[in-house]
Amino acid sequence: YTLELGESYVARRFDSYFTGYSVEELKERRGEVDQLVEYLPGNLIIKEYSPRSATISTLEAHIQKCKMEGFEPDLIIIDYIDYLKSMRYKSGEKKDEIDDVYIGAKGLAKSLKIPVVSPSQVNRSGARDQIIEGDKAAGSYDKMMVADGSISLSRQKEDKVLGTGRIFIMKNRYGADGLSYNVRIDTN
């Protein structure tokens, strides 16, 4: 589910990832891309909602529709979960709204028995850190407590030029955490 970028752009990013062609090359190589994608195992559904227009219930209804049409998801990715609308808190504390959405997403994962994954943002002070820890989560630290696993990716100015960064395992209910890894990143 995309609440930030358009469906067609997200689809092009997936096509780029799966085929190895850059987003810019996709149009000129459309025939090759279509052939390569046709032979990939599984299915991918990309659904766009405007920020703050969809709730967890909206996603549940869409998932049920997909199931009725024969598509059983094995992973849900929500980009960007903080843009979902709270079902319980219509106005008031932003923190309460964010917490409600994260708890709802965890409930969705439990009821479907599949992972729900989403990126989130760091607060201003975390943007300068070499290693981003859980206390730098934007909006509400409580979302860290709801998550079963959390990783951070730190990329400073020089990392963006060099294609490098650091991944930190902030939380892992099922294994080791507190681990940091230097990584190479190709954002194309």
Side-chain angles (χ1 to χ4, degrees):
Y1 293 98
T2 177
L3 298 135
E4 191 165 44
L5 301 171
E7 278 179 27
S8 61
Y9 182 71
V10 171
R12 285 194 305 272
R13 294 293 301 239
F14 275 107
D15 284 350
S16 174
Y17 175 78
F18 289 130
T19 64
Y21 296 126
S22 70
V23 171
E24 293 77 25
E25 292 176 295
L26 292 174
K27 193 172 188 177
E28 66 193 46
R29 296 182 175 270
R30 189 78 249 163
E32 294 169 62
V33 170
D34 289 343
Q35 276 186 320
L36 289 168
V37 169
E38 183 180 337
Y39 294 105
L40 290 172
N43 294 299
L44 174 66
I45 293 177
I46 301 166
K47 179 72 174 158
E48 176 184 0
Y49 292 104
S50 298
R52 301 270 185 246
S53 68
T55 64
I56 292 294
S57 291
T58 309
L59 304 188
E60 283 178 306
H62 182 258
I63 292 164
Q64 290 308 315
K65 179 183 173 196
C66 290
K67 285 180 171 185
M68 289 188 311
E69 294 174 1
F71 178 80
E72 186 80 30
D74 57 9
L75 172 68
I76 306 287
I77 301 171
I78 306 171
D79 182 26
Y80 163 65
I81 197 169
D82 295 60
Y83 283 171
L84 284 173
K85 184 169 63 171
S86 169
M87 295 186 301
R88 292 188 315 153
Y89 297 97
K90 304 295 181 216
S91 63
E93 284 291 315
K94 181 85 170 147
K95 178 198 169 309
D96 291 336
E97 293 177 30
I98 291 171
D99 293 347
D100 184 54
V101 166
Y102 275 79
I103 291 167
K106 182 160 188 157
L108 177 65
K110 283 181 149 276
S111 69
L112 296 173
K113 296 182 176 73
I114 60 173
V116 172
V117 177
S118 180
S120 190
Q121 305 251 343
V122 298
N123 60 29
R124 259 187 217 119
S125 65
R128 294 185 297 272
D129 291 352
Q130 286 281 338
I131 300 294
I132 301 168
E133 297 194 43
D135 63 335
K136 302 297 171 68
S140 173
Y141 179 73
D142 289 352
K143 62 185 168 184
M144 295 298 302
M145 291 187 277
V146 173
D148 289 329
S150 297
I151 63 171
S152 67
L153 170 63
S154 173
R155 296 182 66 223
Q156 298 180 324
K157 288 178 191 174
E158 59 273 10
D159 291 312
K160 292 178 182 185
V161 172
L162 298 171
T164 59
R166 282 148 311 284
I167 288 181
F168 179 65
I169 311 299
M170 294 188 288
K171 179 179 181 180
N172 182 359
R173 289 194 200 274
Y174 305 108
D177 58 16
L179 306 170
S180 178
Y181 301 94
N182 292 321
V183 294
R184 298 206 44 77
I185 300 168
D186 180 0
T187 58
N188 289 324

